[in-house]
Amino acid sequence: MTAPGLNAACSTTILSAATKPAKVWAPHEQEVEILAAIGEPFSCLNAVELFADLTTQDMAALDRMSPPRLFRSGELVFSQAQPVSALFILKAGRIRIFRVAEDGKTLTIAILEPGAVFGEMLLIGQQMYDNYAEAIEDSIVCQLSAADVEEHFLSNPKVAVKISRLLGEQVARLEERLTDMALRPLSARTAATLLKLAETAPRNRFTQSQAVKLTHEQLAGLLGATREATSKTMSDFATRNLIRQGRGRIIIENSAGLRRISRTTF
Amino acid sequence: MTAPGLNAACSTTILSAATKPAKVWAPHEQEVEILAAIGEPFSCLNAVELFADLTTQDMAALDRMSPPRLFRSGELVFSQAQPVSALFILKAGRIRIFRVAEDGKTLTIAILEPGAVFGEMLLIGQQMYDNYAEAIEDSIVCQLSAADVEEHFLSNPKVAVKISRLLGEQVARLEERLTDMALRPLSARTAATLLKLAETAPRNRFTQSQAVKLTHEQLAGLLGATREATSKTMSDFATRNLIRQGRGRIIIENSAGLRRISRTTF
DNA sequence: GCCGAAGTGTGTCCTGGATTGCAGAACTCT
DNA sequence: AGAGTTCTGCAATCCAGGACACACTTCGGC
């Protein structure tokens, strides 16, 4: 239950610690909390599906080679300046992967939850990869160097197949998103995105409602829309009782209704 | 030189035959031409980069199992109704991969040239894959059944790695396209797309100009825009001498100029 | 408690493309 | 050579969202 899975249901203590953003480098007691988490018994590797087929020895070896590192909320994990040369595993916190246009506008490709693996492009010898990764909460990230990955990984056919599957899913998701972008109005995209995000989110066992922990601005980045337009859509949804709003969090009230809207074209 | 590569530079006879569309099933002499191509000495498999690492025996075996099949211009290679259950190799002609929205509007995901492999999602056990594939010229396609692929393929780690690379490139392309869609105006997207298409196209050795063989409508499908808007952009480009137009083909005259526009944001 | 920052609600104006509806030009087939 | 298709070119109108510009509120820090 403390094992970091793909959803955020893990290790509440870590998460709640990471939740408090500390923009201006204010090392206080919360930092100790986070740092404590680094030393926790659970390695970066286990419980990450990608590594499930490794031998215990390999796993241990890799684990020793992958020092956990803390990124403050707002810090860049990688960028053009510091191009990807490693495989990252997100242990705690949240990371936003995004791209930047010439004029500075950005589109968020994904928002990662603990347990996610990123920087996978390196696995396939891709140099050109102009994505940025930024911690949107204080986050703990382990990194495996390219060489280590090469040695322990690509040799193992089971892992290779798993990587293919991973990438394949990503392709499917991206194609879906692309067509949404091209031929669906903002309202539909918003509804769809909320639902998708909710899947990952923990469900309140009593009310069955689910909370998405994002600001309108972050959501807008994901939708490829402006903050204003997104806000408008959200308050529209709110008045229709499809969602409830709280500063930085959105609670899905009526997922059926959202699903209907998400299928709408006009 | 007759070997089908990833660009369209191969086997001119086949291609020119396939060029003539025959919408209403009019089996005439052109068909014989196409059918003749089926029997040609070159197998579907060799010269496709994905299979380069197979043993000659494996290759021969697979080749025997992959009957070439003719699709008329306009025919569907697969769809929801006939979901993907095989790996396809495009031997001659051109295939358009696309998705459909509820209201019937479509977005073209890719336009494939001879030598391309598609239906790769099956490789990774993806069922949900609501893409359609349609021949936009008379095309010859070989197909490998899922079982055959499984047996001869996934066992081979080199091939697995190659598949990863393939998918990885696709991910990169899609992310690029997604951000273009989200934050670039039509003109920029059009220019960028033309340039990308031109890469694949053969280059006129004298003028250095390259021709993209698409109608405005097909291009619009790729851009996620209407035919009209695309036409407008194209004639704009034409008056600026960036391109020259011909029914169903666009000749790049000034790729530097296009590149400049493709980087523009406004 | 107070202050500043971050997050949200609105309102107005303005524009890039979608929509609609034709008309002419270029091919293809017979 | 004629007839039906397929492409391409306009032009008029409409509208979802972008760009700006603020006001208000909630929160975390001091």
Side-chain angles (χ1 to χ4, degrees), chain A residues 53 59 110 157-158 166 179 209 230 246 253:
Chain A
D53 285 321
M59 198 119 112
K158 277 197 181 172
L166 210 89
T179 74
S209 63
T230 311
E253 291 285 293

Side-chain angles (χ1 to χ4, degrees), chain A residues 21 105 184-187 189 224-229 247:
Chain A
K105 271 185 294 194
R184 305 265 272 272
L186 183 56
S187 57
R189 264 151 51 214
T226 56
R227 205 269 305 154
E228 293 87 330
R247 204 185 164 68

